[in-house]
Amino acid sequence: MSQWLDAAAVLVTAAGIVSAAAAYLMVRSVGSAVAVLLDFVLAAGLLRLAGDLSWGSVLMAAAVVAVRKVISVGLAIARHSVGVSVRDVLHEEVRK
């Protein structure tokens, strides 16, 4: 079963790269493209976690979630104009 999940994770990652490129071409926003890619990478990581329930896999999935959140907040801060506090942006991200 693990071989199937590994193959599915690779396919999801490849689909994420293609989808991120398509998102960038459609909206011309790096932030949107990165968000799409990170969602697919998260899905691939969760597929790998389903196949290998070890602490290393759990930590890897947690790291992907943390990196995704940090990048999302960073992109949200960059999108806002100067003068908006980080606290306001963080509260906006939590509401999503």
Side-chain angles (χ1 to χ4, degrees), residues 7 14-15 25 28 31-34 40 45 47 61 64 66 72-73 78 83 88 93:
L25 291 174
R28 299 285 185 208
S32 296
V34 169
F40 275 89
L47 281 171
V64 169
S72 296
V73 169
D88 293 339
E93 286 296 315

Side-chain angles (χ1 to χ4, degrees), residues 3-88:
Q3 292 175 343
W4 287 99
L5 291 172
D6 285 341
V10 170
L11 288 175
V12 167
T13 303
I17 292 169
V18 171
S19 297
Y24 177 74
L25 291 174
M26 292 179 75
V27 296
R28 299 285 185 208
S29 170
V30 173
S32 296
V34 169
V36 169
L37 178 61
L38 289 173
D39 285 340
F40 275 89
V41 170
L42 176 60
L46 293 175
L47 281 171
R48 288 184 192 273
L49 179 61
D52 179 25
L53 292 176
S54 67
W55 282 110
S57 296
V58 171
L59 290 174
M60 183 62 72
V64 169
V65 170
V67 167
R68 179 185 177 277
K69 190 63 175 174
V70 167
I71 290 175
S72 296
V73 169
L75 291 171
I77 290 171
R79 269 185 269 159
H80 286 84
S81 63
V82 177
V84 176
S85 72
V86 174
R87 182 180 300 164
D88 293 339

